[in-house]
Amino acid sequence: MASFVEFVEALTIVLAVGVVRGWRSAFAGATVAAVTLAVAIWALGPRIGELNQPLFKLVVGILLLLFGLRWLRKAVLRAAGVIPLHDEARAFERTSEELRTKEQIAKSVDPAAAFVAFNGVFVEGVEVVFIVLAVGGTGSHLGQAALGAELAGAVVVILGIIAQRPLTRIPENALKLVVGALVAAFGTTWTGESLGLKWPGGEFGLVLISGAYAVVAALGVALCRGFGKRGARA
Amino acid sequence: MNFIRTGIREFVGLFVDDWLFTILLLAWIGAIALGRGHVDSGTLAVAFFAGVALLTLAFVVRRAKLLAPRPQAPNVEAKRSASAPTADA
């Protein structure tokens, strides 16, 4: 069950990256993370538990926080009308160029998006390894604990495939706003946890922080709407 | 050497679009880390989030102010159109 929760957290990040920045980037990041983790487990064995997790979590947490807040700020400015949702004139002038870009997005890998997916899968993967070592090590049932984690991982992958299609129907900027809030919430939680902070709500802390960031975004849109209208009038 | 420099610059650019925001955010994380021994961890967690939220709101408004066109722009246009026929005549 504990492994399942960690896998769901990793899936959330991969789905968020995939929907906004393309599935190729999300899968590339997740695959590289899974392979890196597998190599680390193979090379280090149970010694992987000696990894300095708080420092690792702090670095990844800060990176996620910066990345998530960057998305959130841009989505707020778009929703307020300060940045145009779609620049029609430029789109008309550069239709062919845009089409080429869209093709390139579908075919190429966005390094930032892949990196976020990598971080999400790798950090959660390391946590799953810790859980398996803790549960399996104390009861001398390492094999059973690993099997439980593998089953949880398989169920989460199936859930991800099912959830992929409905997510693509949500409007782009609304999705970017939600993804920004989610990634920022992960960054905040991990940074805080690495500093030894205890979030209110315990296990639901992440959900509460995501909701709080959504409130911050709504407040930001309300505050910036005046600038957007002024820009539209000018 | 240039290749490494470009690579580092591009990597940093993935996460940093406003240096002042990044520096203030890192300073806030540092301040929270320093407060660990003195303040209850639950209170500190709420303070950490509140600080990040305030910083985000402040920088969103700052960016909106910078991006919004100046209100005197229509007057300049009016002056231009008023002076145009005189020049032709």
Side-chain angles (χ1 to χ4, degrees), chain A residues 62-63 65-67 69-70 73 76-77 82-83 111-112 115 188 191-192 195-200 209 212-213 216 219-220 223-224 227 230-231 234, chain B residues 11 13-18 21-22 25-26 29 32-33 36 41-42 44-46 48-49 52-53 56-57 59-61 63-65 67-69 71:
Chain A
I62 291 171
L63 289 177
L65 192 56
L66 285 170
F67 196 82
L69 290 178
R70 195 180 151 187
R73 293 200 316 265
V76 166
L77 290 173
V82 178
I83 298 176
F115 188 73
T188 308
T191 307
L195 295 174
L197 307 183
K198 281 183 184 155
W199 294 104
I209 296 166
Y213 271 120
V216 168
L219 203 62
L223 284 170
C224 295
F227 299 107
R230 204 173 75 187
Chain B
F11 180 79
L14 300 175
F15 302 94
V16 180
D17 65 338
D18 188 330
F21 177 80
T22 307
L25 186 74
L26 292 176
I29 293 169
I32 292 292
R36 276 183 301 176
S41 67
L44 212 56
V46 175
F48 174 48
F49 172 77
V52 175
T56 306
L57 276 176
F59 273 77
V60 158
V61 174
R63 181 62 68 90
K65 274 183 187 170
L67 290 174

Side-chain angles (χ1 to χ4, degrees), chain B residues 2-86:
Chain B
N2 271 344
F3 172 75
I4 297 166
R5 246 184 241 163
T6 313
I8 291 169
R9 205 179 299 144
E10 277 188 19
F11 180 79
V12 173
L14 300 175
F15 302 94
V16 180
D17 65 338
D18 188 330
W19 276 103
L20 185 62
F21 177 80
T22 307
I23 289 164
L24 288 174
L25 186 74
L26 292 176
W28 183 237
I29 293 169
I32 292 292
L34 288 173
R36 276 183 301 176
H38 313 283
V39 189
D40 164 60
S41 67
T43 314
L44 212 56
V46 175
F48 174 48
F49 172 77
V52 175
L54 275 175
L55 205 61
T56 306
L57 276 176
F59 273 77
V60 158
V61 174
R62 180 176 173 261
R63 181 62 68 90
K65 274 183 187 170
L66 286 171
L67 290 174
R70 305 246 176 235
Q72 63 261 36
N75 295 338
V76 174
E77 281 295 316
K79 272 181 193 170
R80 264 189 210 152
S81 57
S83 63
T86 326

Side-chain angles (χ1 to χ4, degrees), chain A residues 31-112:
Chain A
T31 308
V32 172
V35 171
T36 311
L37 200 62
V39 170
I41 293 166
W42 174 76
L44 297 170
R47 273 191 299 153
I48 200 168
E50 290 162 22
L51 233 157
N52 191 348
Q53 210 195 1
L55 181 70
F56 180 62
K57 225 175 171 178
L58 178 71
V59 173
V60 174
I62 291 171
L63 289 177
L64 283 182
L65 192 56
L66 285 170
F67 196 82
L69 290 178
R70 195 180 151 187
W71 272 7
L72 194 69
R73 293 200 316 265
K74 273 191 181 170
V76 166
L77 290 173
R78 278 199 194 97
V82 178
I83 298 176
L85 280 172
H86 297 286
D87 193 338
E88 300 297 343
R90 204 168 58 182
F92 181 75
E93 281 169 14
R94 294 201 263 166
T95 311
S96 57
E97 195 186 324
E98 269 205 7
L99 282 170
R100 229 180 299 132
T101 313
K102 275 180 186 171
E103 268 175 39
Q104 278 168 358
I105 287 168
K107 283 178 185 171
S108 66
V109 172
D110 177 354

Side-chain angles (χ1 to χ4, degrees), chain A residues 57-225:
Chain A
K57 225 175 171 178
L58 178 71
V59 173
V60 174
I62 291 171
L63 289 177
L64 283 182
L65 192 56
L66 285 170
F67 196 82
L69 290 178
R70 195 180 151 187
W71 272 7
L72 194 69
R73 293 200 316 265
K74 273 191 181 170
V76 166
L77 290 173
R78 278 199 194 97
V82 178
I83 298 176
L85 280 172
H86 297 286
D87 193 338
E88 300 297 343
R90 204 168 58 182
F92 181 75
E93 281 169 14
R94 294 201 263 166
T95 311
S96 57
E97 195 186 324
E98 269 205 7
L99 282 170
R100 229 180 299 132
T101 313
K102 275 180 186 171
E103 268 175 39
Q104 278 168 358
I105 287 168
K107 283 178 185 171
S108 66
V109 172
D110 177 354
F115 188 73
V116 169
F118 173 87
N119 279 338
V121 173
F122 193 75
V123 169
E124 298 300 346
V126 167
E127 287 189 7
V128 169
V129 173
F130 283 130
I131 291 163
V132 169
L133 284 175
V135 175
T138 50
S140 307
H141 298 297
L142 201 64
Q144 287 171 356
L147 185 70
E150 279 166 21
L151 276 173
V155 170
V156 169
V157 167
I158 294 164
L159 281 175
I161 294 164
I162 297 166
Q164 181 192 338
R165 219 167 252 281
L167 278 173
T168 53
R169 289 183 201 135
I170 302 169
E172 195 188 333
N173 199 52
L175 202 65
K176 280 186 176 172
L177 212 137
V178 172
V179 168
L182 258 174
V183 175
F186 269 106
T188 308
T189 315
W190 288 356
T191 307
E193 280 175 4
S194 68
L195 295 174
L197 307 183
K198 281 183 184 155
W199 294 104
E203 289 294 310
F204 296 100
L206 186 70
V207 181
L208 284 175
I209 296 166
S210 303
Y213 271 120
V215 172
V216 168
L219 203 62
V221 172
L223 284 170
C224 295
R225 198 151 267 165

